Amino acid sequence: MVDVTDSAADALGVTSEAARHALDAVLADPAGTLLALDFDGTLSPIIDRPEDAVIHPCAAAALDRLGQLIGTVAIITGRPAKAAVDLGRLDQLDGLGDMVVLGQYGAERWDADTGRFYIPPVPTNIGQVESEVHKIIDDLGLRGVSIENKHRAIGVHTRTADDPAGSFDKLVEPVTRIAEENGLHVEPGRSVLEIRPSGRDKGAALAELIIERGARAVIFGGDDLGDVPAFDEVVRQRDAGLPGLLIASASDEQSALVGRADVVRHGPAEVAEWLNALADELERRAA
Ligand SMILES: O=P(O)(O)OC[C@H]1O[C@H](O[C@H]2O[C@H](CO)[C@@H](O)[C@H](O)[C@H]2O)[C@H](O)[C@@H](O)[C@@H]1O
């Protein structure tokens, strides 16, 4: 194994002993590395309307490079797999290798090498849940709250509400009740309460991908509460001996991951810079 040079560690903002060990493993064995990233808030800047989100152009360029440089690049997202592929224009990138997109917290999948989606049957009561949420929003008189129907889940978004924080607080109890009455689970996020099936999370999705790809080192980056189980999984893997590096995409809205991360970058533009710096270092070593 090569030693991480001070310049590589400095360029990538890696300081702790565990993180240097993980970077060492990644640079020595890029083919054995799994790089998994969240989409919204990590690769794609947060904006008002979920349907208008796009991947940061520098992040797309970084994925296109890293797909050729390391074993597996993956996106693990709360979005439907198809939405992440479309919003990221991932099917138009040539360099993704055998990249995987795991959508809806691992329930759905897209493979870049085949272009195929795996979308299992969706719960039959999502339409009913959507109607009940609409009624609650009307009854509470909340203006500007929007609903995102993801077929397997319902996102209740308060970012564009007249009173975003107040609307969020007022919705927590009735949205939780509707979820429980329908055998579903509430996933809170940045100005969103998501009603979705339980039983899948990003930690389980990441653990399965580590096994599937035989990863010998892992990097995970995220920004929000839905990413906490993946952070937990990297810590668990580290304890079991797999080198792991954690990146937080920091924001003024959510700080849960910042204190746990090895590398903190402010939002998708800075995360993309970090990913391109990693690609620079890997290319330099491969030359
Ligand atoms: O797991 P992720 O990739 O982070 O997806 C989590 C949710 O992200 C989306 O909502 C967030 O981004 C929107 C667009 O920037 C923003 O308007 C919203 O306030 C954020 O919460 C997405 O719409 C959800 O479906 C995802 O579950």
Side-chain angles (χ1 to χ4, degrees):
M1 190 175 283
V2 295
D3 286 330
V4 175
T5 61
D6 286 345
S7 64
D10 287 350
L12 292 164
V14 165
T15 52
S16 76
E17 195 57 39
R20 284 182 75 105
H21 174 62
L23 183 59
D24 197 6
V26 168
L27 296 177
D29 183 13
T33 297
L34 165 62
L35 167 67
L37 300 158
D38 162 65
F39 188 76
D40 290 282
T42 301
L43 294 173
S44 169
I46 292 294
I47 57 167
D48 280 352
R49 287 162 38 100
E51 61 273 32
D52 294 338
V54 290
I55 194 167
H56 192 288
C58 297
L63 297 183
D64 217 14
R65 295 174 70 194
L66 288 165
Q68 301 299 303
L69 293 165
I70 66 173
T72 302
V73 176
I75 293 177
I76 307 181
T77 175
R79 294 272 192 172
K82 182 146 190 350
V85 170
D86 290 348
L87 298 172
R89 299 192 173 181
L90 300 177
D91 49 358
Q92 294 172 33
L93 299 177
D94 297 327
L96 298 179
D98 56 359
M99 182 201 201
V100 179
V101 173
L102 298 178
Q104 309 240 28
Y105 302 91
E108 300 179 355
R109 175 171 179 138
W110 177 76
D111 285 279
D113 55 355
T114 62
R116 287 206 192 106
F117 286 94
Y118 168 72
I119 315 281
V122 299
T124 52
N125 55 354
I126 290 298
Q128 162 77 15
V129 168
E130 181 176 6
S131 305
E132 291 179 30
V133 173
H134 270 298
K135 182 166 183 327
I136 289 292
I137 292 168
D138 288 347
D139 290 351
L140 291 171
L142 302 176
R143 291 173 14 141
V145 175
S146 67
I147 292 185
E148 177 189 15
N149 186 330
K150 303 197 283 183
H151 306 297
R152 187 176 307 282
I154 295 288
V156 187
H157 290 271
T158 60
R159 185 171 299 280
T160 54
D162 287 0
D163 173 12
S167 300
F168 187 97
D169 290 345
K170 284 182 186 149
L171 283 165
V172 169
E173 189 278 324
V175 163
T176 304
R177 180 173 44 73
I178 291 170
E180 285 172 356
E181 285 170 0
N182 284 277
L184 299 165
H185 155 87
V186 174
E187 184 81 49
R190 295 171 65 177
S191 299
V192 65
L193 290 163
E194 197 173 330
I195 303 176
R196 71 174 183 88
S198 53
R200 298 290 306 175
D201 66 34
K202 293 191 184 187
L206 182 63
E208 287 167 14
L209 204 51
I210 287 169
I211 293 169
E212 176 190 311
R213 296 297 167 109
R216 296 181 290 272
V218 61
I219 304 174
F220 181 82
D223 72 311
D224 203 357
L225 297 177
D227 301 312
V228 168
F231 266 54
D232 293 341
E233 180 58 27
V234 171
V235 171
R236 202 181 67 76
Q237 295 280 352
R238 264 184 187 173
D239 290 346
L242 185 81
L245 191 66
L246 288 165
I247 306 167
S249 175
S251 69
D252 299 337
E253 293 180 340
Q254 182 51 258
S255 58
L257 302 178
V258 169
R260 301 185 63 190
D262 302 302
V263 173
V264 178
R265 290 293 180 267
H266 198 88
E270 288 194 6
V271 171
E273 260 177 46
W274 190 90
L275 293 171
N276 277 300
L278 176 63
D280 291 344
E281 186 62 29
L282 289 167
E283 281 172 357
R284 197 178 64 72
R285 283 163 188 260

